[in-house]
Amino acid sequence: MMQDPQAVEEAGLKIIDQEAGAHSFHPGQWSVVRQVIHATADFDFAREMVFHPAAVEAGVAAVRFGADIVADTPTVDVGIAKDRLRKYGGTVWCFISDDDVILKSKEVNLPRTAVAMEKAAETSDGSIYAIGNAPAALLHLIRLVKEGKAKPSLIIGVPVGFIGAAEAKEELLSISTPFITCRGRKGGSAVAAAIINALSLLATHS
């Protein structure tokens, strides 16, 4: 049994390439998809992942530029490999537990995840947003983009769930900002983090 983590990952990725078979993704997109499959052991993502045509290039460029990553929840934050991001000056932020976010959420009767998107939009332009859990966060971010109040370099919108997740992801398909998503109910923290990790690997090795 292999013990070296890198060897285990490489062996897993080879299995994914073999079992997935033919697909229509270009090499950069496939690097992202296979990383998601590796994180979830779910080959459905080979059929459900959707990319804006410029998404991978925009994400890699943003990582290399040192763009910050905005995570909707701490579970996305902890899954991101931060060493590669730090190499370029990038930091991961998650504002959901900030005192000002909690207070404003109560005042305006909005979910904390949505208010956290507002804070992120006010903090910096050009961030990569990684939303793996909260459909409300994704919908609010889309609204902020349409209103010109948020200017992400890339939106990773993969919230998981039965209420609103699929609908929020379909709404994401309607905007011109580069995005990576997956249709349907599946998604989650591991998926969002895997996408970021795939992009940082591409930034480092391509």
Side-chain angles (χ1 to χ4, degrees):
M1 184 175 178
M2 290 183 290
Q3 299 296 322
D4 177 55
Q6 184 173 350
V8 170
E9 180 172 358
E10 289 175 356
L13 293 174
K14 287 180 180 178
I15 291 171
I16 291 167
D17 287 336
Q18 293 167 359
E19 294 191 10
H23 58 79
S24 60
F25 298 107
H26 71 54
Q29 292 172 342
W30 181 242
S31 294
V32 174
V33 175
R34 73 205 287 254
Q35 200 70 42
V36 169
I37 296 172
H38 189 268
T40 61
D42 189 343
F43 280 88
D44 284 351
F45 286 103
R47 296 181 292 275
E48 295 166 355
M49 296 286 291
V50 183
F51 294 80
H52 180 283
V56 173
E57 292 78 6
V60 169
V63 169
R64 288 176 174 163
F65 187 72
D68 289 334
I69 313 296
V70 178
D72 65 329
T73 60
T75 50
V76 174
D77 182 352
V78 299
I80 295 172
K82 298 176 178 64
D83 287 349
R84 290 192 296 269
L85 299 175
R86 291 193 192 104
K87 173 182 176 182
Y88 298 102
T91 302
V92 181
W93 298 98
C94 181
F95 299 120
I96 190 173
S97 297
D98 288 7
D99 291 340
D100 57 338
V101 169
I102 294 171
L103 180 61
K104 185 175 180 180
S105 172
K106 294 175 181 177
E107 289 176 345
V108 300
N109 195 30
L110 277 175
R112 280 194 289 155
T113 53
V115 176
M117 294 299 104
E118 291 185 0
K119 180 172 181 176
E122 293 166 359
T123 301
S124 65
D125 286 341
S127 296
I128 299 174
Y129 287 71
I131 299 173
N133 295 279
L138 181 55
L139 286 171
H140 202 68
L141 177 59
I142 292 168
R143 194 184 89 183
L144 292 171
V145 169
K146 288 181 176 180
E147 293 175 351
K149 296 177 181 177
K151 298 178 181 178
S153 57
L154 174 68
I155 299 173
I156 297 167
V158 289
V160 63
F162 296 97
I163 308 298
E167 293 82 359
K169 288 181 276 189
E170 289 300 317
E171 184 70 18
L172 180 60
L173 302 179
S174 70
I175 67 174
S176 59
T177 300
F179 61 78
I180 300 174
T181 189
C182 59
R183 283 194 152 105
R185 297 169 170 174
K186 292 184 179 181
S189 300
V191 176
I195 294 170
I196 292 291
N197 293 339
L199 293 172
S200 65
L201 277 170
L202 286 169
T204 303
H205 298 301
S206 63

